[in-house]
Amino acid sequence: MVSSRHYFVSSPYLASNPGEQFYMFTLIAAWLINVAGRPFTEPQEYDEPNATVSNILAELRALGVQVDFPPSRLKSGSGEHVCLVLDHLAEEALKRRGFTFTRFSHISAKETSFSQIAALLTAQRHMMAEEITLYTTDF
């Protein structure tokens, strides 16, 4: 199980079983590809790694991402290229869901009443709760 936000940055998180880190990468990549609107079969733990990596990279290319590194860079399940692939797939999945990042808007306490600030914060909290519900219903 992914236990750190730095899990895919380097291999030491699973020195005893590096295959598990690769498998977690492939599962998350497959889920993101599906969320991005492309049908993709969930890889199995003992699938051939070269075939799995090739399939993930083919889907990445189909989404319009230029892949300019060798597939072998993904077989460790960690590192810069693994993070790059997950980042691109997450971006595509968010686009598919209609998610957009918005600029932070500063609210001046002098210009806004307490009730207006409370209403804005409540609306923002409800929007975040809806987005969280949207993303967790796929599990």
Side-chain angles (χ1 to χ4, degrees):
M1 174 165 271
V2 178
S3 60
S4 166
R5 62 188 257 171
H6 305 287
Y7 183 81
F8 293 109
V9 174
S10 63
S11 294
Y13 288 100
L14 285 174
S16 64
N17 188 358
E20 185 175 336
Q21 193 167 15
F22 174 74
Y23 180 57
M24 290 303 297
F25 159 67
T26 62
L27 285 178
I28 293 171
W31 178 75
L32 289 169
I33 291 166
N34 280 302
V35 172
R38 309 253 331 146
F40 193 83
T41 305
E42 183 178 291
Q44 300 302 308
E45 190 167 5
Y46 299 106
D47 285 355
E48 209 284 303
N50 291 323
T52 302
V53 166
S54 292
N55 292 339
I56 291 170
L57 291 178
E59 290 299 327
L60 202 57
R61 287 183 189 102
L63 290 167
V65 177
Q66 184 177 354
V67 178
D68 59 355
F69 56 87
S72 61
R73 296 286 187 158
L74 301 178
K75 286 175 57 177
S76 68
S78 67
E80 176 185 358
H81 297 95
V82 166
C83 292
L84 179 77
V85 167
L86 292 175
D87 180 56
H88 281 299
L89 292 175
E91 193 173 309
E92 291 298 324
L94 288 171
K95 277 187 213 174
R96 173 72 176 199
R97 292 284 176 103
F99 180 87
T100 57
F101 290 98
T102 56
R103 285 195 174 272
F104 176 76
S105 58
H106 179 71
I107 301 171
S108 171
K110 293 178 185 176
E111 301 168 3
T112 309
S113 71
F114 177 76
S115 61
Q116 289 173 317
I117 293 172
L120 286 170
L121 291 174
T122 301
Q124 193 173 35
R125 187 174 61 235
H126 287 293
M127 282 178 22
M128 289 173 62
E130 287 174 11
E131 288 170 4
I132 290 170
T133 302
L134 251 174
Y135 292 115
T136 57
T137 56
D138 285 342
F139 287 112

